[in-house]
Amino acid sequence: MLHPRRTLAALLLPLAAGLSLAALPAQTAHAAATLTNAGFESDGTGTVTPAGWSTYSAAGQNSASFTEAGGHAGSYRLTHWASTAYKVETYQYLSGLTNGSYKLTAWVRSGGGQNSAYIALKNCGGAEQRTALPVSASGWIHIVVPVTVTTNQCTVSINSDANAGNWINVDDLTFTSGTSGLSIKGADISSLAKSEAKGGVYKTASGTTGDAVTILKNAGMNYARLKVWVNPADGYNNKAHVLAVAKRVKAAGQKLLVDFHYSDTWADPGAQAKPAAWAGHSYSQLKTDVYNHTYDVLNALKAQGTTADMVQVGNEINGGMLWSEGSTDNWAQLAGLLNSGYDAVKAVSSSTAVALHLAKGGDLSGTRWWFDNAVANGVKFDTIGLSYYGYWHGTLADFQTTLDDAASRYGKPVYVAETAYPFRLDSDDTHENIIDLSSELVSGYPATEAGQLAWTNAVADIVEAVPNGLGLGVFYWEATWTAVTGNGWDPTDASSGNGWENQALFGYDDRALSSMAWFSHR
C-alpha cells in the first residue's frame, strides 16, 4: 500500500513518463517493492499485458508487446515484435522502496535493427539509467542496469522503437540492492609515439588539433595500455618510449597498464619469438631475462613517478611465450617464466596487479584448459585479461559465458584486454585493412561510428554484468593507430602500411569519432 505522502507522486509518475491516463489504474494496482511476474510465467502465451506489468504505446500498438513460449529459464518470455514499425513500452512500477542503490538484471536477446531497444530504470529520483539490448539472435545475454533510488519508488521499463519485423526477448528479471559499473574504461595507445614522430595529427570532434591523450581523457578514458618490446627494429614501443608516454598518461590523471610481449616484435597466439638478445639462452637464463627486463622497465617507471597500476606478463599467451622453452607443451617451464615476471612486478610495487592475457575470448573450453593448467602448476596472478574480437572470437553470448566462467572458476577479476570494431570498411592508405568486407562484420553491427559505439558498449555491458562485481572493464585496441606514413605493421619495414586505421577512434580526417562516447560508460 502506498504511503500517503507518496500517493501524489505515484499518480503523477505516469504523466511524467509520457503515459496516458488510461494506464493509471494498472500502474497503481501493481505497485510493489519487488518485481511481480519477473519471469513472465503467470499468463501463458499471447498476453499483451502480463500480470504485474503494464503496456503503453502512443500509437496504440500495445499488441507489439506479448508473452510467448521459449523462456530463458522457465517456459515463457516477453517479446516485442510487430509486422509494421512500432513503438512500445512494457513497464512495472515499484514503490515502498528503501532509498539506496539498486540494480536490475535481465536475460535478453535481440535480432537487431531497432532505432532503439533498451531496458531502463526511471522516475527513481535521479537520472534515468539505460542499458541497450545487445544484438544476439540466438544466445541469451545477461545485462544489468544500476540506479540510485531517492524517492522510494522506481519504474522498470522495457522499450522498443523498432522497424517492421524487429524483435527482442526479455526474461528472468531481478531487482535487488547493489550497484555496478566499470573501473576500467581504457584504450591501448601504443602506436601514439611513433605516429606523432612520423607526423600524425589528432583533433577534437570539432577539428581543433590537440594532444591525443588529452582528447581521450576528455572523452572519459581513464586507463592507458602500452606494450613493451625488448629491442624493436624501429626503436619504438621500447623502454624509453613507454617511459615518455607514461608521463603523459599519468599527468592526465589516467592509470597505466604495461603489456610485456617479451619479444622484439608482435607476440600473439601464432608468434612468441624470443628477443634476439635472449636467443640461445638456457631456460634458467630466460627466467632471469624475464625478471630483469620486467624489473628494469617497471622500476624506471616507478623512479619517474609513473608506477604501473597493472602489468600483463605476456601478450595473448594461449600457446605460452618465449618459444619453445615457454610453450604450453611444457607447463612447468612456462609457469616458471610467468612467476619470474610476477615476482619482478611485485618487487617493484606490491600493489601493482599482475594479469595473464589470453586471446579467443569466446573459447570457454580453451580458456578453462589454459587457466586450469596455470593453477595446477602454481602460476601466480591477480586478474585475467581476454582479447575479444567479435568477428574472430565467437558470439557475444559465447564471450559472456567464457568471461563469467573465468571470474567464478578462478575467483579473479576479469577485463577485456583488447576489443575493436570498424567505423568504415575502406582504407586510408594502400595497405589492405584486416576487416574490410561487410561479410566479416558481426550481424547487427554496421561499419559506422554508431556501429562501432554500439559494439564497444555491448562488450562493456557484458563486462559490467559479470557476477559479484568481478568485471573490471575494457581496453579498446588501438585507439590512436591512424594511417600515418612510416607507422605501419612491421617494425622492420618503414614502408609497411596499417591494416587497422578503420578501427581507430580517430577518423580519416584525424578528428575524434563520436564512438569515443563509450568511454562515458558508467
Side-chain angles (χ1 to χ4, degrees), residues 447-465:
T448 61
E449 289 182 52
Q452 186 182 50
L453 173 60
W455 172 261
T456 312
N457 273 332
V459 172
D461 288 336
I462 285 174
V463 179
E464 184 185 13

Side-chain angles (χ1 to χ4, degrees), residues 16 29 62 71 73 77 85 155 157 169 175 189 207 239 273 305 310 318 324 326 352 390 444 470 491 519:
N62 285 20
R77 67 195 183 209
T155 299
S157 174
N169 299 147
F175 184 81
I189 56 171
K239 174 184 170 183
M310 190 187 301
N318 299 59
S324 60
T352 297
L470 290 174
F519 287 120

Side-chain angles (χ1 to χ4, degrees), residues 21-81:
L21 287 172
L24 280 170
Q27 185 148 11
T28 54
H30 297 321
T34 57
L35 279 171
T36 300
N37 193 21
F40 303 100
E41 296 295 309
S42 298
D43 308 286
T45 61
T47 302
V48 171
T49 304
W53 296 86
S54 301
T55 308
Y56 173 73
S57 172
Q61 298 168 299
N62 285 20
S63 61
S65 172
F66 54 92
T67 56
E68 64 178 344
H72 164 256
S75 300
Y76 304 101
R77 67 195 183 209
L78 178 75
T79 292
H80 285 181
W81 176 87

Side-chain angles (χ1 to χ4, degrees), residues 498-512:
N498 177 6
W500 206 261
E501 76 272 12
N502 67 326
Q503 300 193 64
L505 294 181
F506 290 87
Y508 290 4
D509 58 1
D510 301 320
R511 297 188 183 200

Side-chain angles (χ1 to χ4, degrees), residues 128-477:
E128 176 178 332
Q129 296 294 316
R130 294 183 180 181
T131 299
L133 271 63
V135 180
S136 178
S138 54
W140 289 91
I141 291 178
H142 187 230
I143 62 172
V144 61
V145 191
V147 75
T148 299
V149 173
T150 60
T151 55
N152 305 107
Q153 61 188 10
C154 197
T155 299
V156 176
S157 174
I158 303 165
N159 272 269
S160 291
D161 178 354
N163 300 300
N166 294 163
W167 61 268
I168 65 170
N169 299 147
V170 178
D171 205 0
D172 295 336
L173 295 93
T174 70
F175 184 81
T176 58
S177 296
T179 189
S180 67
L182 301 180
S183 59
I184 296 174
K185 290 166 275 191
D188 194 303
I189 56 171
S190 298
S191 63
L192 180 58
K194 187 174 181 181
S195 175
E196 291 173 332
K198 301 297 181 182
V201 173
Y202 299 89
K203 300 178 180 180
T204 65
S206 61
T208 303
T209 300
D211 174 60
V213 175
T214 301
I215 293 169
L216 289 162
K217 177 203 174 172
N218 290 342
M221 178 174 144
N222 66 5
Y223 223 124
R225 180 177 185 257
L226 299 174
K227 71 171 173 275
V228 187
W229 289 337
V230 177
N231 188 24
D234 62 0
Y236 291 91
N237 296 300
N238 59 6
K239 174 184 170 183
H241 282 98
V242 168
L243 287 169
V245 179
K247 285 184 177 179
R248 296 166 61 183
V249 167
K250 291 285 188 169
Q254 297 172 329
K255 290 187 175 182
L256 174 65
L257 167 59
V258 178
D259 173 21
F260 285 93
H261 283 227
Y262 301 112
S263 182
D264 292 333
T265 188
W266 301 97
D268 56 45
Q272 296 282 339
K274 287 193 288 285
W278 304 358
H281 284 194
S282 67
Y283 169 66
S284 179
Q285 286 174 308
L286 288 172
K287 285 199 294 182
T288 302
D289 292 334
V290 168
Y291 186 96
N292 288 344
H293 171 60
T294 306
Y295 185 94
D296 179 52
V297 173
L298 296 179
N299 196 51
L301 284 165
K302 180 180 178 180
Q304 71 172 15
T306 60
T307 300
D309 299 282
M310 190 187 301
V311 168
Q312 284 181 201
V313 177
N315 186 77
E316 294 190 332
I317 53 176
N318 299 59
M321 65 185 198
L322 294 167
W323 289 345
S324 60
E325 287 80 358
S327 164
T328 50
D329 290 338
N330 190 330
W331 263 102
Q333 289 194 173
L334 174 57
L337 293 169
L338 293 172
N339 283 340
S340 188
Y342 178 96
D343 291 342
V345 175
K346 297 299 184 177
V348 174
S349 169
S350 61
S351 63
T352 297
V354 176
L356 297 179
H357 170 209
L358 301 186
K360 304 180 182 178
D363 180 5
L364 175 63
S365 62
T367 302
R368 277 186 172 182
W369 175 85
W370 200 97
F371 278 100
D372 282 357
N373 276 287
V375 170
N377 283 275
V379 176
K380 296 177 284 189
F381 62 101
D382 302 317
T383 189
I384 293 171
L386 297 177
S387 293
Y388 175 59
Y389 297 99
Y391 36 73
W392 292 330
H393 296 155
T395 66
L396 286 165
D398 292 335
F399 166 57
Q400 181 167 67
T401 298
T402 305
L403 192 69
D404 288 357
D405 182 78
S408 63
R409 189 175 181 89
Y410 308 105
K412 303 287 188 180
V414 294
Y415 68 98
V416 174
E418 301 178 18
T419 194
Y421 205 76
F423 62 91
R424 58 195 294 172
L425 293 174
D426 62 318
S427 183
D428 196 27
D429 61 13
T430 58
H431 190 83
E432 181 181 3
N433 287 335
I434 294 203
I435 301 298
D436 64 349
L437 300 173
S438 57
S439 60
E440 296 172 305
L441 298 174
V442 179
S443 177
Y445 294 93
T448 61
E449 289 182 52
Q452 186 182 50
L453 173 60
W455 172 261
T456 312
N457 273 332
V459 172
D461 288 336
I462 285 174
V463 179
E464 184 185 13
V466 173
N468 302 313
L470 290 174
L472 295 178
V474 176
F475 289 94
Y476 191 90
W477 199 92

